[in-house]
Amino acid sequence: MLLTIDVGNTNTVLGVYRGKELVAHWRLTTARDQTVDEYGILTRNLLSLAGIEPSGINGVIISSVVPPLNGTLAETSQRYFEREALFVEPGVRTGMPVHYDNPQEVGADRIVNSVAAFEKYGGPCIAVDFGTAINFDAISARGEYLGGVLAPGIGISAEALFSRAARLFRVEIRDPGKVIGTNTVASLQSGLYYGYIDLVDGILTRMKATLGAETKVVATGGQAQLLARGSRHIQHVHEFLTLEGLRIIWERNAAERAAATQARPPRPTGSGPQPVSPAKPRH
């Protein structure tokens, strides 16, 4: 079984695959100050509650946009699962050429989403990830990562509004049912909901004008279901697109990792330093 971990700025999503089947998944708050033991115990407890033996995990792959957590997660994998985690980073085989001015600037989650979107829906396509930021990532008909668009997420925009306007208060982000609100709650909901639908559709209209009208659009992330209902362009919603991309990338690297492991020469027996016998006393 494969443990997949997608570390975002706001949430961390974990999933366990048995072959190509996602058998368990969890969404947690990303905690930057948790220790190796806290992450290890939490993950093992989640597995146990799902009826999965931690010893059954034979691979760990991680996509992270929070670099300070990478060392913690790497050690957690080693200590609690006795596996070296594979991080999606430059040098990892993804099967997708990246046409970005500096490929190292592209977030791992954007590449992972793009790999999954192209594998499942073909190209040209656009993957839209509704997270802390909204990522729009463009993939060509030949499966090349072309670049994309980054915009503030609906959650942080709402928080900025509520924190800077003394007389406005937090509301549930939802479709109010009509664009002209007749009270403060409905007016705020209308601005957030319809405002972001038009932002998303406006960007998608421009991207499809470049990629072609037949371009497929798939959405994922926390607000995907909500905003996809009002969008003219989003055709598919895949809640676990990132986890699916991690599974695909793991499979593309599995043969190479196995070959590298087999190529390592066995450790010679008794090659370490030998105990020194105490010297005999001189007479």
Side-chain angles (χ1 to χ4, degrees):
M1 286 188 289
L2 174 67
L3 175 61
T4 57
I5 305 176
D6 170 34
V7 184
N9 287 296
T10 304
N11 293 124
T12 295
V13 182
L14 298 88
V16 176
Y17 281 90
R18 182 182 287 112
K20 295 186 177 182
E21 179 190 4
L22 182 63
V23 295
H25 55 82
W26 306 271
R27 181 179 292 271
L28 312 172
T29 300
T30 298
R32 289 168 169 79
D33 55 353
Q34 281 194 333
T35 67
V36 170
D37 291 324
E38 286 171 330
Y39 268 109
I41 291 167
L42 173 60
T43 306
R44 287 176 67 100
N45 285 345
L46 290 172
L47 293 172
S48 297
L49 288 170
I52 298 170
E53 282 295 328
S55 60
I57 300 296
N58 50 27
V60 179
I61 182 168
I62 300 172
S63 163
S64 171
V65 297
V66 186
L69 275 178
N70 292 359
T72 300
L73 294 172
E75 190 174 344
T76 298
S77 177
Q78 192 71 53
R79 185 183 301 179
Y80 283 86
F81 298 100
E82 298 182 358
R83 303 290 171 187
E84 181 182 348
L86 174 64
F87 282 83
V88 179
E89 57 190 3
V92 170
R93 178 182 174 84
T94 64
M96 178 168 285
V98 177
H99 298 315
Y100 215 62
D101 293 344
N102 181 359
Q104 295 190 8
E105 290 181 359
V106 187
D109 55 336
R110 299 175 68 187
I111 298 298
V112 172
N113 285 341
S114 299
V115 166
F118 182 75
E119 181 80 8
K120 293 188 69 65
Y121 304 104
C125 62
I126 300 169
V128 186
D129 188 354
F130 293 94
T132 305
I134 304 178
N135 302 336
F136 301 79
D137 294 301
I139 305 96
S140 74
R142 295 187 296 180
E144 304 155 313
Y145 180 83
L146 301 177
V149 178
L150 298 176
I154 189 171
I156 60 174
S157 290
E159 283 300 317
L161 177 63
F162 302 147
S163 64
R164 297 293 293 270
R167 299 193 63 182
L168 297 182
F169 44 83
R170 285 173 176 78
V171 297
E172 179 188 2
I173 300 172
R174 58 185 292 271
D175 181 358
K178 56 183 180 180
V179 70
I180 300 176
T182 53
N183 55 63
T184 303
V185 170
S187 298
L188 285 168
Q189 289 175 332
S190 178
L192 291 168
Y193 180 75
Y194 295 114
Y196 264 84
I197 283 176
D198 285 350
L199 179 151
V200 169
D201 276 354
I203 290 174
L204 289 174
T205 296
R206 292 174 180 272
M207 292 180 75
K208 290 177 75 173
T210 300
L211 296 170
E214 76 284 1
T215 301
K216 294 166 280 290
V217 181
V218 55
T220 191
Q223 303 289 344
Q225 288 283 359
L226 173 66
L227 294 176
R229 287 197 292 268
S231 170
R232 300 189 309 275
H233 295 297
I234 295 173
Q235 301 156 294
H236 310 282
V237 176
H238 194 306
E239 184 179 1
F240 301 110
L241 188 72
T242 314
L243 299 186
E244 188 69 12
L246 287 170
R247 179 191 65 77
I248 293 166
I249 292 172
W250 174 267
E251 290 178 355
R252 291 177 179 174
N253 286 268
E256 189 175 315
R257 288 166 66 86
T261 301
Q262 290 174 1
R264 288 177 194 154
R267 266 186 203 169
T269 307
S271 60
Q274 300 299 315
V276 179
S277 301
K280 292 181 181 179
R282 291 181 182 177
H283 296 288

mmCIF file of all heavy atoms in Angstrom, residues 69-109:
data_model
loop_
_atom_site.group_PDB
_atom_site.id
_atom_site.type_symbol
_atom_site.label_atom_id
_atom_site.label_comp_id
_atom_site.label_asym_id
_atom_site.label_seq_id
_atom_site.Cartn_x
_atom_site.Cartn_y
_atom_site.Cartn_z
ATOM 1 N N LEU A 69 8.461 21.981 6.747
ATOM 2 C CA LEU A 69 7.923 20.701 7.221
ATOM 3 C C LEU A 69 8.592 19.496 6.574
ATOM 4 O O LEU A 69 8.399 18.363 7.029
ATOM 5 C CB LEU A 69 6.413 20.627 6.959
ATOM 6 C CG LEU A 69 5.503 21.250 8.013
ATOM 7 C CD1 LEU A 69 4.044 21.142 7.585
ATOM 8 C CD2 LEU A 69 5.701 20.561 9.360
ATOM 9 N N ASN A 70 9.352 19.712 5.503
ATOM 10 C CA ASN A 70 9.866 18.578 4.748
ATOM 11 C C ASN A 70 10.767 17.666 5.568
ATOM 12 O O ASN A 70 10.672 16.445 5.493
ATOM 13 C CB ASN A 70 10.606 19.066 3.495
ATOM 14 C CG ASN A 70 9.670 19.704 2.486
ATOM 15 O OD1 ASN A 70 8.460 19.767 2.694
ATOM 16 N ND2 ASN A 70 10.226 20.191 1.391
ATOM 17 N N GLY A 71 11.660 18.263 6.352
ATOM 18 C CA GLY A 71 12.555 17.458 7.183
ATOM 19 C C GLY A 71 11.790 16.650 8.213
ATOM 20 O O GLY A 71 12.096 15.475 8.456
ATOM 21 N N THR A 72 10.788 17.267 8.820
ATOM 22 C CA THR A 72 9.964 16.575 9.815
ATOM 23 C C THR A 72 9.253 15.381 9.199
ATOM 24 O O THR A 72 9.235 14.280 9.769
ATOM 25 C CB THR A 72 8.929 17.552 10.410
ATOM 26 O OG1 THR A 72 9.604 18.636 11.038
ATOM 27 C CG2 THR A 72 8.043 16.857 11.432
ATOM 28 N N LEU A 73 8.665 15.584 8.011
ATOM 29 C CA LEU A 73 7.919 14.506 7.363
ATOM 30 C C LEU A 73 8.844 13.403 6.870
ATOM 31 O O LEU A 73 8.488 12.221 6.914
ATOM 32 C CB LEU A 73 7.088 15.071 6.214
ATOM 33 C CG LEU A 73 5.961 16.013 6.644
ATOM 34 C CD1 LEU A 73 5.324 16.664 5.420
ATOM 35 C CD2 LEU A 73 4.901 15.275 7.456
ATOM 36 N N ALA A 74 10.025 13.773 6.405
ATOM 37 C CA ALA A 74 10.988 12.763 5.958
ATOM 38 C C ALA A 74 11.389 11.863 7.124
ATOM 39 O O ALA A 74 11.453 10.633 6.993
ATOM 40 C CB ALA A 74 12.222 13.437 5.355
ATOM 41 N N GLU A 75 11.640 12.471 8.279
ATOM 42 C CA GLU A 75 12.030 11.685 9.447
ATOM 43 C C GLU A 75 10.855 10.867 9.979
ATOM 44 O O GLU A 75 11.023 9.735 10.445
ATOM 45 C CB GLU A 75 12.573 12.603 10.550
ATOM 46 C CG GLU A 75 13.220 11.828 11.690
ATOM 47 C CD GLU A 75 13.884 12.719 12.722
ATOM 48 O OE1 GLU A 75 14.112 13.906 12.426
ATOM 49 O OE2 GLU A 75 14.161 12.217 13.831
ATOM 50 N N THR A 76 9.639 11.430 9.896
ATOM 51 C CA THR A 76 8.450 10.681 10.309
ATOM 52 C C THR A 76 8.305 9.406 9.494
ATOM 53 O O THR A 76 8.037 8.325 10.024
ATOM 54 C CB THR A 76 7.188 11.546 10.137
ATOM 55 O OG1 THR A 76 7.286 12.700 10.971
ATOM 56 C CG2 THR A 76 5.933 10.763 10.506
ATOM 57 N N SER A 77 8.487 9.523 8.179
ATOM 58 C CA SER A 77 8.381 8.356 7.302
ATOM 59 C C SER A 77 9.432 7.306 7.658
ATOM 60 O O SER A 77 9.140 6.107 7.720
ATOM 61 C CB SER A 77 8.543 8.790 5.845
ATOM 62 O OG SER A 77 8.507 7.691 4.984
ATOM 63 N N GLN A 78 10.646 7.767 7.916
ATOM 64 C CA GLN A 78 11.733 6.845 8.226
ATOM 65 C C GLN A 78 11.521 6.169 9.573
ATOM 66 O O GLN A 78 11.692 4.949 9.706
ATOM 67 C CB GLN A 78 13.055 7.622 8.223
ATOM 68 C CG GLN A 78 14.295 6.748 8.240
ATOM 69 C CD GLN A 78 14.516 6.025 6.935
ATOM 70 O OE1 GLN A 78 14.544 6.633 5.882
ATOM 71 N NE2 GLN A 78 14.656 4.708 6.983
ATOM 72 N N ARG A 79 11.122 6.960 10.573
ATOM 73 C CA ARG A 79 11.033 6.432 11.930
ATOM 74 C C ARG A 79 9.792 5.572 12.144
ATOM 75 O O ARG A 79 9.850 4.521 12.802
ATOM 76 C CB ARG A 79 11.042 7.583 12.939
ATOM 77 C CG ARG A 79 11.082 7.121 14.392
ATOM 78 C CD ARG A 79 11.015 8.296 15.360
ATOM 79 N NE ARG A 79 12.110 9.241 15.176
ATOM 80 C CZ ARG A 79 12.243 10.358 15.892
ATOM 81 N NH1 ARG A 79 11.330 10.675 16.813
ATOM 82 N NH2 ARG A 79 13.251 11.182 15.673
ATOM 83 N N TYR A 80 8.639 5.995 11.584
ATOM 84 C CA TYR A 80 7.376 5.315 11.890
ATOM 85 C C TYR A 80 6.933 4.311 10.821
ATOM 86 O O TYR A 80 6.073 3.470 11.092
ATOM 87 C CB TYR A 80 6.275 6.350 12.133
ATOM 88 C CG TYR A 80 6.381 6.979 13.500
ATOM 89 C CD1 TYR A 80 7.203 8.081 13.706
ATOM 90 C CD2 TYR A 80 5.711 6.452 14.594
ATOM 91 C CE1 TYR A 80 7.332 8.654 14.961
ATOM 92 C CE2 TYR A 80 5.834 7.009 15.852
ATOM 93 C CZ TYR A 80 6.649 8.105 16.034
ATOM 94 O OH TYR A 80 6.788 8.657 17.283
ATOM 95 N N PHE A 81 7.505 4.405 9.616
ATOM 96 C CA PHE A 81 7.118 3.463 8.552
ATOM 97 C C PHE A 81 8.323 2.740 7.944
ATOM 98 O O PHE A 81 8.150 1.894 7.081
ATOM 99 C CB PHE A 81 6.337 4.189 7.456
ATOM 100 C CG PHE A 81 5.057 4.798 7.953
ATOM 101 C CD1 PHE A 81 4.998 6.153 8.246
ATOM 102 C CD2 PHE A 81 3.930 4.022 8.167
ATOM 103 C CE1 PHE A 81 3.826 6.720 8.733
ATOM 104 C CE2 PHE A 81 2.765 4.576 8.654
ATOM 105 C CZ PHE A 81 2.711 5.934 8.939
ATOM 106 N N GLU A 82 9.523 3.112 8.419
ATOM 107 C CA GLU A 82 10.767 2.507 7.933
ATOM 108 C C GLU A 82 10.860 2.580 6.415
ATOM 109 O O GLU A 82 11.292 1.645 5.740
ATOM 110 C CB GLU A 82 10.885 1.054 8.426
ATOM 111 C CG GLU A 82 10.943 0.962 9.943
ATOM 112 C CD GLU A 82 11.105 -0.467 10.428
ATOM 113 O OE1 GLU A 82 11.125 -1.385 9.575
ATOM 114 O OE2 GLU A 82 11.217 -0.667 11.645
ATOM 115 N N ARG A 83 10.421 3.714 5.873
ATOM 116 C CA ARG A 83 10.461 3.955 4.436
ATOM 117 C C ARG A 83 11.074 5.327 4.174
ATOM 118 O O ARG A 83 10.787 6.286 4.899
ATOM 119 C CB ARG A 83 9.052 3.928 3.820
ATOM 120 C CG ARG A 83 8.291 2.640 4.064
ATOM 121 C CD ARG A 83 8.891 1.499 3.278
ATOM 122 N NE ARG A 83 8.293 0.222 3.678
ATOM 123 C CZ ARG A 83 8.724 -0.950 3.244
ATOM 124 N NH1 ARG A 83 9.740 -1.009 2.411
ATOM 125 N NH2 ARG A 83 8.137 -2.065 3.657
ATOM 126 N N GLU A 84 11.882 5.403 3.114
ATOM 127 C CA GLU A 84 12.404 6.700 2.694
ATOM 128 C C GLU A 84 11.347 7.370 1.821
ATOM 129 O O GLU A 84 10.960 6.831 0.775
ATOM 130 C CB GLU A 84 13.698 6.522 1.907
ATOM 131 C CG GLU A 84 14.314 7.837 1.453
ATOM 132 C CD GLU A 84 15.564 7.635 0.635
ATOM 133 O OE1 GLU A 84 16.090 6.502 0.604
ATOM 134 O OE2 GLU A 84 16.016 8.622 0.011
ATOM 135 N N ALA A 85 10.849 8.519 2.252
ATOM 136 C CA ALA A 85 9.788 9.208 1.508
ATOM 137 C C ALA A 85 10.344 9.759 0.199
ATOM 138 O O ALA A 85 11.470 10.257 0.136
ATOM 139 C CB ALA A 85 9.204 10.333 2.348
ATOM 140 N N LEU A 86 9.526 9.659 -0.842
ATOM 141 C CA LEU A 86 9.851 10.276 -2.127
ATOM 142 C C LEU A 86 9.158 11.629 -2.184
ATOM 143 O O LEU A 86 7.919 11.704 -2.138
ATOM 144 C CB LEU A 86 9.372 9.387 -3.283
ATOM 145 C CG LEU A 86 9.527 9.986 -4.694
ATOM 146 C CD1 LEU A 86 11.001 10.203 -5.028
ATOM 147 C CD2 LEU A 86 8.864 9.077 -5.731
ATOM 148 N N PHE A 87 9.931 12.715 -2.251
ATOM 149 C CA PHE A 87 9.368 14.054 -2.375
ATOM 150 C C PHE A 87 9.320 14.432 -3.856
ATOM 151 O O PHE A 87 10.262 14.174 -4.605
ATOM 152 C CB PHE A 87 10.225 15.075 -1.619
ATOM 153 C CG PHE A 87 10.011 15.067 -0.130
ATOM 154 C CD1 PHE A 87 10.667 14.143 0.671
ATOM 155 C CD2 PHE A 87 9.141 15.973 0.470
ATOM 156 C CE1 PHE A 87 10.473 14.130 2.042
ATOM 157 C CE2 PHE A 87 8.944 15.975 1.838
ATOM 158 C CZ PHE A 87 9.606 15.045 2.634
ATOM 159 N N VAL A 88 8.211 15.042 -4.268
ATOM 160 C CA VAL A 88 8.103 15.530 -5.643
ATOM 161 C C VAL A 88 8.900 16.826 -5.718
ATOM 162 O O VAL A 88 8.496 17.857 -5.170
ATOM 163 C CB VAL A 88 6.638 15.761 -6.044
ATOM 164 C CG1 VAL A 88 6.555 16.297 -7.470
ATOM 165 C CG2 VAL A 88 5.842 14.467 -5.916
ATOM 166 N N GLU A 89 10.038 16.760 -6.383
ATOM 167 C CA GLU A 89 10.960 17.883 -6.465
ATOM 168 C C GLU A 89 11.781 17.725 -7.740
ATOM 169 O O GLU A 89 11.692 16.684 -8.415
ATOM 170 C CB GLU A 89 11.865 17.915 -5.223
ATOM 171 C CG GLU A 89 12.650 16.632 -5.017
ATOM 172 C CD GLU A 89 13.337 16.579 -3.669
ATOM 173 O OE1 GLU A 89 13.158 17.513 -2.866
ATOM 174 O OE2 GLU A 89 14.060 15.595 -3.424
ATOM 175 N N PRO A 90 12.567 18.728 -8.123
ATOM 176 C CA PRO A 90 13.380 18.597 -9.327
ATOM 177 C C PRO A 90 14.227 17.332 -9.295
ATOM 178 O O PRO A 90 14.838 16.996 -8.279
ATOM 179 C CB PRO A 90 14.253 19.860 -9.292
ATOM 180 C CG PRO A 90 13.422 20.858 -8.555
ATOM 181 C CD PRO A 90 12.684 20.069 -7.513
ATOM 182 N N GLY A 91 14.218 16.599 -10.401
ATOM 183 C CA GLY A 91 14.957 15.344 -10.483
ATOM 184 C C GLY A 91 14.068 14.124 -10.394
ATOM 185 O O GLY A 91 14.467 13.029 -10.783
ATOM 186 N N VAL A 92 12.838 14.299 -9.866
ATOM 187 C CA VAL A 92 11.898 13.188 -9.790
ATOM 188 C C VAL A 92 11.207 13.023 -11.141
ATOM 189 O O VAL A 92 10.793 14.006 -11.765
ATOM 190 C CB VAL A 92 10.857 13.429 -8.671
ATOM 191 C CG1 VAL A 92 9.726 12.420 -8.739
ATOM 192 C CG2 VAL A 92 11.530 13.368 -7.310
ATOM 193 N N ARG A 93 11.073 11.789 -11.578
ATOM 194 C CA ARG A 93 10.462 11.505 -12.880
ATOM 195 C C ARG A 93 8.953 11.715 -12.796
ATOM 196 O O ARG A 93 8.256 10.991 -12.088
ATOM 197 C CB ARG A 93 10.779 10.066 -13.276
ATOM 198 C CG ARG A 93 10.176 9.615 -14.593
ATOM 199 C CD ARG A 93 10.521 8.148 -14.857
ATOM 200 N NE ARG A 93 9.840 7.656 -16.032
ATOM 201 C CZ ARG A 93 10.276 7.807 -17.275
ATOM 202 N NH1 ARG A 93 11.413 8.460 -17.478
ATOM 203 N NH2 ARG A 93 9.614 7.327 -18.292
ATOM 204 N N THR A 94 8.443 12.700 -13.539
ATOM 205 C CA THR A 94 7.004 12.954 -13.571
ATOM 206 C C THR A 94 6.390 12.582 -14.913
ATOM 207 O O THR A 94 5.172 12.423 -15.012
ATOM 208 C CB THR A 94 6.701 14.443 -13.315
ATOM 209 O OG1 THR A 94 7.255 15.231 -14.382
ATOM 210 C CG2 THR A 94 7.284 14.907 -11.980
ATOM 211 N N GLY A 95 7.216 12.466 -15.941
ATOM 212 C CA GLY A 95 6.697 12.175 -17.272
ATOM 213 C C GLY A 95 6.096 13.387 -17.958
ATOM 214 O O GLY A 95 5.443 13.251 -18.993
ATOM 215 N N MET A 96 6.310 14.578 -17.390
ATOM 216 C CA MET A 96 5.729 15.799 -17.957
ATOM 217 C C MET A 96 6.804 16.862 -18.138
ATOM 218 O O MET A 96 7.328 17.396 -17.144
ATOM 219 C CB MET A 96 4.606 16.323 -17.057
ATOM 220 C CG MET A 96 3.972 17.626 -17.542
ATOM 221 S SD MET A 96 2.439 18.033 -16.673
ATOM 222 C CE MET A 96 1.300 16.866 -17.437
ATOM 223 N N PRO A 97 7.158 17.226 -19.383
ATOM 224 C CA PRO A 97 8.100 18.324 -19.605
ATOM 225 C C PRO A 97 7.520 19.635 -19.059
ATOM 226 O O PRO A 97 6.325 19.893 -19.198
ATOM 227 C CB PRO A 97 8.228 18.381 -21.133
ATOM 228 C CG PRO A 97 7.741 17.054 -21.624
ATOM 229 C CD PRO A 97 6.705 16.609 -20.647
ATOM 230 N N VAL A 98 8.372 20.432 -18.444
ATOM 231 C CA VAL A 98 7.918 21.686 -17.824
ATOM 232 C C VAL A 98 8.484 22.865 -18.619
ATOM 233 O O VAL A 98 9.697 23.101 -18.638
ATOM 234 C CB VAL A 98 8.370 21.772 -16.348
ATOM 235 C CG1 VAL A 98 7.947 23.104 -15.738
ATOM 236 C CG2 VAL A 98 7.787 20.607 -15.553
ATOM 237 N N HIS A 99 7.597 23.613 -19.286
ATOM 238 C CA HIS A 99 8.002 24.784 -20.070
ATOM 239 C C HIS A 99 7.762 26.058 -19.253
ATOM 240 O O HIS A 99 6.861 26.836 -19.537
ATOM 241 C CB HIS A 99 7.226 24.832 -21.386
ATOM 242 C CG HIS A 99 7.486 23.663 -22.270
ATOM 243 N ND1 HIS A 99 8.747 23.169 -22.502
ATOM 244 C CD2 HIS A 99 6.635 22.873 -22.986
ATOM 245 C CE1 HIS A 99 8.682 22.139 -23.331
ATOM 246 N NE2 HIS A 99 7.402 21.926 -23.630
ATOM 247 N N TYR A 100 8.577 26.220 -18.228
ATOM 248 C CA TYR A 100 8.492 27.379 -17.350
ATOM 249 C C TYR A 100 9.859 28.035 -17.396
ATOM 250 O O TYR A 100 10.873 27.336 -17.553
ATOM 251 C CB TYR A 100 8.151 26.907 -15.925
ATOM 252 C CG TYR A 100 7.269 27.824 -15.114
ATOM 253 C CD1 TYR A 100 5.973 28.113 -15.523
ATOM 254 C CD2 TYR A 100 7.712 28.370 -13.908
ATOM 255 C CE1 TYR A 100 5.148 28.931 -14.762
ATOM 256 C CE2 TYR A 100 6.896 29.189 -13.147
ATOM 257 C CZ TYR A 100 5.611 29.459 -13.574
ATOM 258 O OH TYR A 100 4.788 30.267 -12.816
ATOM 259 N N ASP A 101 9.932 29.350 -17.270
ATOM 260 C CA ASP A 101 11.235 30.025 -17.346
ATOM 261 C C ASP A 101 12.232 29.393 -16.373
ATOM 262 O O ASP A 101 13.381 29.151 -16.716
ATOM 263 C CB ASP A 101 11.084 31.513 -17.048
ATOM 264 C CG ASP A 101 10.293 32.235 -18.138
ATOM 265 O OD1 ASP A 101 10.133 31.657 -19.240
ATOM 266 O OD2 ASP A 101 9.812 33.357 -17.888
ATOM 267 N N ASN A 102 11.780 29.162 -15.150
ATOM 268 C CA ASN A 102 12.593 28.459 -14.160
ATOM 269 C C ASN A 102 11.739 27.338 -13.573
ATOM 270 O O ASN A 102 10.912 27.584 -12.697
ATOM 271 C CB ASN A 102 13.051 29.419 -13.054
ATOM 272 C CG ASN A 102 13.916 28.727 -12.011
ATOM 273 O OD1 ASN A 102 14.171 27.523 -12.093
ATOM 274 N ND2 ASN A 102 14.362 29.475 -11.018
ATOM 275 N N PRO A 103 11.904 26.103 -14.051
ATOM 276 C CA PRO A 103 11.054 24.998 -13.595
ATOM 277 C C PRO A 103 11.042 24.804 -12.080
ATOM 278 O O PRO A 103 10.059 24.302 -11.526
ATOM 279 C CB PRO A 103 11.656 23.781 -14.301
ATOM 280 C CG PRO A 103 12.305 24.343 -15.527
ATOM 281 C CD PRO A 103 12.842 25.680 -15.098
ATOM 282 N N GLN A 104 12.124 25.217 -11.405
ATOM 283 C CA GLN A 104 12.184 25.026 -9.957
ATOM 284 C C GLN A 104 11.219 25.943 -9.207
ATOM 285 O O GLN A 104 10.973 25.756 -8.020
ATOM 286 C CB GLN A 104 13.617 25.232 -9.460
ATOM 287 C CG GLN A 104 14.582 24.183 -10.000
ATOM 288 C CD GLN A 104 15.938 24.248 -9.330
ATOM 289 O OE1 GLN A 104 16.133 24.969 -8.356
ATOM 290 N NE2 GLN A 104 16.894 23.497 -9.855
ATOM 291 N N GLU A 105 10.676 26.958 -9.901
ATOM 292 C CA GLU A 105 9.720 27.862 -9.250
ATOM 293 C C GLU A 105 8.306 27.268 -9.192
ATOM 294 O O GLU A 105 7.472 27.768 -8.445
ATOM 295 C CB GLU A 105 9.660 29.186 -10.011
ATOM 296 C CG GLU A 105 10.902 30.041 -9.874
ATOM 297 C CD GLU A 105 10.779 31.356 -10.643
ATOM 298 O OE1 GLU A 105 9.728 31.583 -11.286
ATOM 299 O OE2 GLU A 105 11.724 32.140 -10.587
ATOM 300 N N VAL A 106 8.054 26.231 -9.967
ATOM 301 C CA VAL A 106 6.700 25.678 -10.024
ATOM 302 C C VAL A 106 6.450 24.841 -8.774
ATOM 303 O O VAL A 106 7.224 23.929 -8.455
ATOM 304 C CB VAL A 106 6.505 24.800 -11.274
ATOM 305 C CG1 VAL A 106 5.042 24.374 -11.387
ATOM 306 C CG2 VAL A 106 6.926 25.550 -12.520
ATOM 307 N N GLY A 107 5.369 25.119 -8.047
ATOM 308 C CA GLY A 107 5.027 24.354 -6.857
ATOM 309 C C GLY A 107 4.797 22.894 -7.191
ATOM 310 O O GLY A 107 4.243 22.563 -8.254
ATOM 311 N N ALA A 108 5.208 22.015 -6.290
ATOM 312 C CA ALA A 108 5.060 20.578 -6.530
ATOM 313 C C ALA A 108 3.609 20.200 -6.762
ATOM 314 O O ALA A 108 3.300 19.353 -7.607
ATOM 315 C CB ALA A 108 5.621 19.806 -5.334
ATOM 316 N N ASP A 109 2.684 20.844 -6.028
ATOM 317 C CA ASP A 109 1.265 20.503 -6.175
ATOM 318 C C ASP A 109 0.760 20.828 -7.585
ATOM 319 O O ASP A 109 -0.106 20.121 -8.117
ATOM 320 C CB ASP A 109 0.426 21.231 -5.134
ATOM 321 C CG ASP A 109 0.620 22.747 -5.151
ATOM 322 O OD1 ASP A 109 1.674 23.228 -5.608
ATOM 323 O OD2 ASP A 109 -0.296 23.463 -4.698
#
